[in-house]
Amino acid sequence: MASRSSTTDKKIEEVCSFLNERNVDGKIIQKFKDEKMDFDAIAMSSDEDLKQLGLARKGDILSLKNFCQNHMSYKKVDETKHEKKRLLQSILNFGKSSKRSKTSPESVKKAVGSSTSGKTRKVHLGWMNYSDEHNSFMQVRAKKGGGTRVVDVAVSANIDGIIRIGKEVFFPGGKSDFGNIDEFHFGLADFKCKHLLKAGSGLSDTFTLQKYVNEVKMKRVLLYITTKKNDLENDELSFDSDSDVGVTTSNDLFETNDSEVPLENPSSIIIRRELIAQQDQAYKESLEADMAKEET
């Protein structure tokens, strides 16, 4: 409070000093001081307000307002420069601390250690539901609650953990367009439409997302939640490890209803997308090179 009061008094003194330089009567200057007319107060005052304080000459009024506005503008510029300098310093300090943390013994220990519970990975998660009519798993369209969702998954997550995420995404409130969550048996398939170990078997604990990423060596992680009604389960449709999901791709299935769509080979989709991304990057680099030549 004392510091703010001191700053205000200093502003008032500068106003009074300016009025004194313009040969304004001392009694008028004292009235400005008594009314605590600093830069902000004067900037908000009308000509009539200043006349009531004793400034009768138009030149004094205009000059005083201009003096205060310029002072406030300079102050804003100084504050902006100070803020930019502060932000730049904080960024530099953050960069230094990040470099130190990367090379610190603790960070090295974490890098080679087994603890990855805090790390996550973007996963493209789809849903395939078994169709009794087509005797095949069919990819569920987005408008029926399916589609492909991008979710953050802990790299330490096992099959059961990923399926839990799939249930939350595709069965909000435990319901879907195909039925309630307790009516289905759930599984997990990889990007080749091969079932991974059966959820809840105990062996699924040996699977983690990180191990899967290391194995497939693909930038984009694609997995599918698979579902089938409990009354459809039999030996032919079991979720054994490495079993094929059995996605049908014959042309006659493209005339199905809107709830389901036959699944295109996911691996070919990913490869095509990666090729497109590489082409876009090559075009961007070529364009930047051309622009650099024009500038020179």
Side-chain angles (χ1 to χ4, degrees):
M1 292 295 293
S3 177
R4 182 179 297 179
S5 177
S6 176
T7 302
T8 301
D9 291 342
K10 184 178 179 181
K11 293 177 181 178
I12 295 172
E13 287 296 332
E14 290 188 48
V15 170
C16 293
S17 176
F18 176 81
L19 293 175
N20 186 56
E21 290 178 0
R22 291 193 61 86
N23 297 320
V24 175
D25 187 87
K27 292 181 180 180
I28 297 175
I29 295 175
Q30 184 60 45
K31 187 177 290 188
F32 268 79
K33 185 179 295 186
D34 294 340
E35 295 294 334
K36 296 188 178 298
M37 298 297 291
D38 60 4
F39 303 129
D40 297 321
I42 292 171
M44 292 185 292
S45 299
S46 64
D47 291 359
E48 187 62 32
D49 293 330
L50 297 178
K51 286 180 180 179
Q52 290 180 4
L53 290 172
L55 283 186
R57 294 177 294 193
K58 189 70 172 179
D60 291 338
I61 293 174
L62 294 175
S63 296
L64 179 60
K65 282 191 171 183
N66 184 63
F67 170 74
C68 293
Q69 288 173 356
N70 287 339
H71 191 282
M72 293 171 68
S73 298
Y74 293 145
K75 181 183 177 183
K76 287 182 180 179
V77 171
D78 290 340
E79 289 177 349
T80 301
K81 288 182 179 179
H82 177 74
E83 180 64 14
K84 287 182 178 180
K85 187 175 181 180
R86 186 189 67 79
L87 290 173
L88 178 60
Q89 189 62 46
S90 64
I91 292 172
L92 293 174
N93 291 338
F94 177 77
K96 292 178 182 178
S97 63
S98 298
K99 290 180 180 179
R100 285 197 297 268
S101 63
K102 287 179 181 179
T103 56
S104 64
E106 291 79 6
S107 62
V108 173
K109 184 178 180 180
K110 287 182 180 179
V112 299
S114 59
S115 175
T116 58
S117 59
K119 297 181 180 179
T120 61
R121 183 71 185 258
K122 296 287 185 185
V123 174
H124 293 252
L125 194 63
W127 175 18
M128 292 188 293
N129 184 48
Y130 184 79
S131 170
D132 189 33
E133 179 184 355
H134 300 113
N135 195 30
S136 169
F137 282 89
M138 313 289 287
Q139 187 173 19
V140 181
R141 292 179 182 272
K143 62 182 179 180
K144 286 294 182 179
T148 302
R149 315 291 182 88
V150 181
V151 295
D152 290 315
V153 181
V155 295
S156 59
N158 58 14
I159 290 178
D160 296 307
I162 298 174
I163 289 178
R164 277 196 298 271
I165 294 174
K167 289 179 179 179
E168 294 174 358
V169 171
F170 297 117
F171 287 78
K175 298 180 180 180
S176 75
D177 285 2
F178 298 92
N180 296 333
I181 196 169
D182 56 1
E183 298 176 21
F184 292 89
H185 184 83
F186 289 82
L188 186 68
D190 64 11
F191 72 98
K192 293 181 180 179
C193 302
K194 296 288 185 180
H195 266 119
L196 302 170
L197 290 172
K198 182 177 178 181
S201 65
L203 295 176
S204 62
D205 292 336
T206 63
F207 170 97
T208 65
L209 179 60
Q210 186 62 59
K211 290 180 181 179
Y212 176 74
V213 171
N214 293 340
E215 181 180 346
V216 299
K217 294 180 173 59
M218 299 186 72
K219 292 182 179 180
R220 182 172 299 178
V221 183
L222 177 63
L223 291 170
Y224 292 96
I225 298 297
T226 60
T227 56
K228 61 183 178 181
K229 286 293 183 73
N230 293 325
D231 57 358
L232 295 177
E233 186 172 5
N234 53 48
D235 293 339
E236 191 175 346
L237 297 175
S238 65
F239 283 134
D240 293 335
S241 176
D242 295 332
S243 65
D244 198 321
V245 173
V247 178
T248 306
T249 57
S250 58
N251 292 332
D252 59 327
L253 293 185
F254 283 91
E255 297 182 0
T256 60
N257 57 42
D258 288 339
S259 64
E260 298 171 334
V261 60
L263 181 66
E264 183 180 351
N265 188 340
S267 59
S268 65
I269 295 174
I270 295 174
I271 292 172
R272 184 166 65 252
R273 287 175 177 173
E274 290 182 348
L275 287 174
I276 292 173
Q278 292 175 4
Q279 291 172 351
D280 290 343
Q281 182 62 29
Y283 173 76
K284 181 179 178 181
E285 292 175 354
S286 175
L287 184 62
E288 290 176 349
D290 292 341
M291 292 175 64
K293 289 180 181 179
E294 291 179 0
E295 291 178 355
T296 57

